[in-house]
Amino acid sequence: MEKIVSLCKRRGFIFPACEIYGGLANAYSYGPYGAQLKKNIKDAWWKKFVEERADIVGLDGPIILHPKVWEASGHTSGFNDAMVDCKACKKRFRADHLVEELTGQDLEGNLSAMSEALQGKKCPACGKSDWTEVRTLNMMFKTEMNGIEGPVYLRPETAGAIFVDFKNVIDSCRVKIPFGIAQIGKAFRNEIVARNFIFRTREFEQMEIEYFIDPSADWEPLFEKWLSSQEEFFTEIGVNINNIARFEHSKEKLSHYSRKTVDLEFEYPFGKSELCGLAHRGDFDLSAQAKFSGADLQYTDPNDNAKRYIPHVLEPSFGLDRALLAVLCSAYTEEKLPPPSEGGARGGSVDKITAEDVRIVLKFPPKIAPIKIAVFPLLKNKPALVDKAKGIFEILKKNFTCEFDDNGNVGKRYRRQDEIGTPYCVTVDFDTIEKDDSATVRDRDTMQQERVKVADLPKYFEEKLK
Ligand code: ATP
């Protein structure tokens, strides 16, 4: 994990937020490559689940919704986590996590049992045993809004807006059940302990779908299909599927309205943890919003006007930051390279590496890689090479995300592009301008190099990067 965190900072993927002020409790900024990587994951998700499907439409609702939405959903009264403080060192813990760590017991939801279980147990931070009572904390961020009395909240999940706009979508978009509404956006949770880099933060992004179905429909095959689609998506963006496992919530742990909930867990370097979830939520959300707002949120069957019902919903919910972290963990590779005399795949004149060199490569699938092609002149101080390379860069950047680099020697530029996961590098050398108008194309994974005519480069990359 440390290696990934340090690479992310060194190479402009993810920075600790507000570092010049000493940082801000586990908040992060996505740097230039991280922002692009995040966008590529979002785009892949939107393409797969909205653009390529006839039965799902998109939505972009506000972050601050009417406070009644959260009363109806139960968040105002019940979106709580249990916390406990060590009186000696003042460190705060999430109580259920701490109890599990110290006793192996899962007592989530039972405050008095957790308080009891902690008696005599030592604080992992200071070694003393002096605990406060376990108590709950609502995780919604409160703020104020002119014209509204009382607090308003930053949304703790994106789903709320989807239920609120359910009727608008039905009335305006000719959707027929079964259909889904998808949304990507920020969510905010005042987590008691934010940790594990971008895995658990207080401000994060979700990609959620509410898939509405007829309550009498056979939902189990649909549920299974959704699970497979979720796994398929992760494979497509480069998450190692062998490190993903399904975890079904036990009947006792299910929310009262849920018929089934399955998390996909990923083997992160700090342990197996939730990557995304899929829940059958019955008609809980629409019924609650209908009750609190007074609106009629029933659906009328277009083939039978007498058939009216509140649909049931399947909710595939993805965390974008957790997906990005899983992509980074899956892509991160360290390779010990053979000495140049043994030839090996790296061959050629421009990819010289010392014998003991270990190369770090982010093996992103090309469609997710932040930069697709890097273009270099062999030497920085030869205007003819620089001009030619810039010309190629200008042409390629019309269709691909490209980078021009003339810093340091070519070997160092390759190392840097490997570390940001760029699938291809193009190097312009003296042969390009004096002989054959061809450039060297170097493949990130095999390190093989081949000469390609400059005029053929756009077509070549269209093939390679499709
Ligand atoms: P956890 O048990 O890890 O707190 P959760 O079950 O509360 O997660 P959901 O309410 O199901 O999470 O939210 C859907 C998705 O949003 C999660 O699967 C996860 O990917 C993401 N997510 C939830 N909380 C956070 C967070 N604090 N930081 C980053 N991503 C989060």
Side-chain angles (χ1 to χ4, degrees):
M1 196 64 198
E2 264 168 38
K3 286 180 179 175
I4 290 172
V5 174
S6 123
L7 173 71
C8 282
K9 171 136 199 253
R10 190 171 75 246
R11 291 302 186 201
F13 281 92
I14 301 169
F15 310 126
C18 306
E19 225 180 0
I20 60 168
Y21 289 102
L24 175 73
N26 261 72
Y28 295 92
S29 286
Y30 284 85
Y33 300 119
Q36 187 66 47
L37 178 62
K38 206 176 182 192
K39 178 180 179 297
N40 294 348
I41 295 173
K42 275 196 258 193
D43 289 350
W45 189 89
W46 193 261
K47 186 164 187 294
K48 182 176 180 69
F49 293 116
V50 181
E51 293 170 3
E52 287 179 2
R53 291 190 61 143
D55 59 343
I56 302 187
V57 292
L59 184 80
D60 187 3
I63 282 175
I64 298 176
L65 298 172
H66 196 293
K68 284 260 179 209
V69 173
W70 306 118
E71 256 181 69
S73 66
H75 282 83
T76 316
S77 58
F79 194 50
N80 301 323
D81 266 350
M83 64 179 172
V84 65
D85 296 322
C86 169
K87 288 193 213 160
C89 72
K90 309 281 179 256
K91 198 166 161 67
R92 174 162 290 178
F93 298 88
R94 184 148 148 201
D96 51 326
H97 288 177
L98 184 68
V99 168
E100 191 159 353
E101 190 183 316
L102 297 181
T103 72
Q105 289 173 278
D106 178 2
L107 298 177
E108 196 187 346
N110 191 339
L111 302 187
S112 53
M114 286 192 275
S115 285
E116 210 161 294
L118 285 174
Q119 290 312 309
K121 294 285 174 303
K122 288 191 178 141
C123 168
C126 72
K128 304 234 167 63
S129 177
D130 192 4
W131 302 105
T132 61
E133 286 296 303
V134 173
R135 58 216 191 277
T136 54
L137 178 84
N138 190 288
M139 294 208 291
M140 284 203 293
F141 276 92
K142 268 188 207 160
T143 185
E144 294 163 13
M145 197 174 198
N146 288 332
I148 299 267
E149 221 175 285
V152 293
Y153 303 94
L154 306 186
R155 64 184 178 200
E157 59 182 30
T158 56
I162 298 182
F163 297 116
V164 171
D165 276 324
F166 171 73
K167 197 166 150 35
N168 280 333
V169 172
I170 290 208
D171 291 346
S172 61
C173 295
R174 297 185 178 163
V175 284
K176 285 197 197 111
I177 275 184
F179 78 93
I181 305 179
Q183 185 171 217
I184 299 180
K186 290 254 174 167
F188 303 81
R189 295 183 186 180
N190 204 355
E191 298 275 359
I192 293 166
V193 184
R195 63 173 175 189
N196 290 332
F197 196 33
I198 53 168
F199 176 83
R200 188 179 298 287
T201 49
R202 297 188 173 94
E203 173 178 345
F204 54 98
E205 254 178 288
Q206 291 184 315
M207 309 185 285
E208 293 195 298
I209 298 164
E210 301 304 328
Y211 196 74
F212 300 100
I213 57 173
D214 184 330
S216 61
D218 183 9
W219 60 271
E220 295 200 51
L222 275 174
F223 194 98
E224 180 56 38
K225 214 164 154 201
W226 267 113
L227 273 178
S228 308
S229 298
Q230 288 181 295
E231 287 165 347
E232 205 178 272
F233 170 71
F234 286 116
T235 310
E236 286 164 12
I237 62 169
V239 176
N240 183 352
I241 195 70
N242 299 322
N243 285 345
I244 290 184
R246 295 180 180 188
F247 169 78
E248 181 167 350
H249 290 216
S250 66
K251 290 275 176 279
E252 308 78 67
K253 284 259 168 182
L254 275 185
S255 318
H256 63 93
Y257 45 77
S258 179
R259 293 202 182 162
K260 186 170 179 172
T261 298
V262 175
D263 295 338
L264 292 186
E265 297 187 325
F266 181 73
E267 197 67 64
Y268 290 100
F270 47 82
K272 208 196 285 172
S273 301
E274 178 177 334
L275 170 61
C276 74
L278 174 64
H280 184 308
R281 296 179 60 88
D283 64 2
F284 172 76
D285 305 272
L286 282 180
S287 293
Q289 297 302 337
K291 186 169 151 212
F292 275 69
S293 65
D296 179 3
L297 298 182
Q298 290 188 93
Y299 173 82
T300 307
D301 190 321
N303 302 319
D304 175 4
N305 278 356
K307 190 174 171 192
R308 303 193 76 225
Y309 57 84
I310 298 256
H312 282 189
V313 74
L314 302 180
E315 180 186 76
S317 178
F318 299 73
L320 176 55
D321 311 79
R322 289 187 188 180
L324 189 143
L325 184 56
V327 167
L328 280 171
C329 295
S330 305
Y332 185 92
T333 315
E334 283 180 6
E335 282 177 359
K336 192 146 179 28
L337 295 161
S341 57
E342 285 174 24
R346 84 185 111 117
S349 58
V350 282
D351 201 358
K352 289 260 159 41
I353 305 154
T354 57
E356 59 290 347
D357 213 356
V358 169
R359 89 171 174 138
I360 295 169
V361 202
L362 289 181
K363 294 196 171 177
F364 297 131
K367 78 167 174 182
I368 292 303
I371 302 292
K372 316 290 184 212
I373 308 162
V375 185
F376 315 142
L378 181 61
L379 297 170
K380 182 184 186 165
N381 56 2
K382 298 285 175 211
L385 296 180
V386 174
D387 288 351
K388 184 76 183 172
K390 280 201 171 145
I392 293 173
F393 169 68
E394 289 298 325
I395 291 168
L396 292 179
K397 83 175 163 59
K398 291 199 177 107
N399 291 320
F400 310 98
T401 321
C402 293
E403 192 168 90
F404 177 86
D405 189 6
D406 60 3
N407 271 317
N409 63 43
V410 173
K412 280 209 178 109
R413 295 180 211 156
Y414 283 154
R415 293 284 79 71
R416 183 171 170 277
Q417 295 300 333
D418 285 346
E419 288 198 354
I420 62 168
T422 305
Y424 295 99
C425 295
V426 175
T427 303
V428 168
D429 56 23
F430 290 104
D431 281 355
T432 315
I433 49 176
E434 286 165 7
K435 263 199 200 146
D436 56 5
D437 205 32
S438 297
T440 301
V441 176
R442 183 256 197 187
D443 180 299
R444 176 195 68 197
D445 298 340
T446 62
M447 289 185 285
Q448 292 286 2
Q449 303 180 355
E450 61 174 317
R451 297 290 286 183
V452 178
K453 287 269 177 224
V454 170
D456 294 340
L457 285 172
K459 220 169 109 241
Y460 174 90
F461 286 121
E462 237 161 70
E463 274 301 306
K464 292 275 188 186
L465 293 166
K466 73 177 173 207

